[in-house]
Amino acid sequence: METRAQDADPVRVLDVASADYRRAFELFLAGTDEKRITHTWLGEIADALPHRRVLLDLGAGDGRTTAYLSRSFDRTIAVEPSAAMREKLGTACPEALVLPEPLDRVRPPEQGDLVHLSHVLYYVPEADWLGTVTRALDWTAPGGTLLVVLQNPESPCMRMAAHFTGVRYDLGPLADRLRERHPEHGYALETLDLHYRTPHLAEAVDVAEFMVNVADLASLDPRPSRAALTAYVQDHFALPADGYAIGHTQDMLIVRRAAQV
């Protein structure tokens, strides 16, 4: 059985600009089926749009998904406040207009036929979710589609985060509030079943640590230990034959803006 001396230490707070964050993120990307499955799904959403003039990606990250989607659109606008991520974004999608302001201050120059808000709400206080998504809907062109992506509250990944931090995210109530406020638009909530896999316990624990960083770990006192996280990974994610698999099912809130508002 693999062990690590630092498992006795607290779970690390991974800053997006840090080398530890980048390493964990790359481990996650190397072992997950997320890009393959979500890109196929996103391509179908894009193909069904009545117009594909502008892609607006809010929180574009390293630009891999932005670059994939941008091939279907005439122009791409990407919002990314992190300087470290913007560097990768510029390489992955050099043709995009990149805006560095945070979501509460950014002013996109055009509405998007597809507006993509993926895994951003973790970093927004839940009291501000409705306002944030309403702004994103305002930036969606009539007849266009807004996509909001977040972990499913019952995914193994989210249950792990809730176990250690008490944090639980759920798009369902937000969808209900949006529907009540803007009944003229179309709404759907779909789920994609995704998994991260690795043969190595040490890598599974590093990725689990990356996953629980969706919570504000810096505010926890004390933070959970890596020993406890390692035990959780072994108990919940070990495969019968060999290796580890962490499910990270995602909810995809689809808001199709009315053609006339």
Side-chain angles (χ1 to χ4, degrees), residues 35 86 91 102 115 135 160 165 235 249:
K35 295 302 183 190
R86 285 199 304 275
T91 300
V115 178
R135 283 194 298 277
M160 174 177 63
T165 71
D235 290 345
T249 308

Side-chain angles (χ1 to χ4, degrees), residues 126 129 150-153 168-174 189 251:
E126 194 163 348
W129 280 16
L150 210 63
Q151 282 290 319
N152 179 281
R168 183 179 182 272
Y169 301 106
D170 189 351
L171 278 178
L174 174 66
L189 189 61
D251 282 342

Side-chain angles (χ1 to χ4, degrees), residues 16-17 61 80-87 100:
V16 69
E80 180 48 60
S82 165
M85 287 297 179
R86 285 199 304 275
E87 184 177 352

Side-chain angles (χ1 to χ4, degrees), residues 128-144:
D128 297 334
W129 280 16
L130 183 61
T132 299
V133 174
T134 298
R135 283 194 298 277
L137 186 55
D138 289 341
W139 298 332
T140 305

Side-chain angles (χ1 to χ4, degrees), residues 18-190:
S18 70
D20 287 337
Y21 179 95
R22 291 194 296 272
R23 177 183 176 277
F25 187 43
E26 291 299 329
L27 281 176
F28 170 72
L29 290 176
T32 182
D33 53 15
E34 177 179 347
K35 295 302 183 190
R36 175 177 58 83
I37 294 174
T38 59
H39 283 186
T40 298
W41 186 87
L42 289 168
E44 294 171 355
I45 293 290
D47 288 344
L49 292 169
H51 304 288
R52 291 188 292 275
R53 296 160 298 200
V54 178
L55 165 67
L56 177 55
D57 199 353
L58 304 173
D62 67 358
R64 299 182 204 209
T65 296
T66 316
Y68 173 79
L69 281 172
S70 68
R71 295 179 293 183
S72 299
F73 292 84
D74 297 334
R75 298 180 299 286
T76 296
I77 303 169
V79 176
E80 180 48 60
S82 165
M85 287 297 179
R86 285 199 304 275
E87 184 177 352
K88 294 179 177 292
L89 172 61
T91 300
C93 199
E95 73 280 4
L97 170 63
V98 178
L99 305 178
E101 295 85 4
L103 287 184
D104 58 351
R105 295 203 301 269
V106 73
R107 296 293 182 268
E110 297 183 83
Q111 291 179 312
D113 296 296
L114 178 64
V115 178
H116 185 229
L117 183 70
S118 181
H119 298 295
V120 170
L121 293 182
Y122 308 127
Y123 312 105
V124 176
E126 194 163 348
D128 297 334
W129 280 16
L130 183 61
T132 299
V133 174
T134 298
R135 283 194 298 277
L137 186 55
D138 289 341
W139 298 332
T140 305
T145 292
L146 166 65
L147 296 178
V148 184
V149 182
L150 210 63
Q151 282 290 319
N152 179 281
E154 299 304 326
S155 74
C157 166
M158 201 74 264
R159 289 201 298 268
M160 174 177 63
H163 173 80
F164 286 107
T165 71
V167 166
R168 183 179 182 272
Y169 301 106
D170 189 351
L171 278 178
L174 174 66
D176 292 339
R177 294 179 68 191
L178 276 172
R179 189 180 290 109
E180 291 172 4
R181 180 171 291 192
H182 300 285
E184 68 275 16
H185 306 311
Y187 297 86
L189 189 61
E190 298 188 6

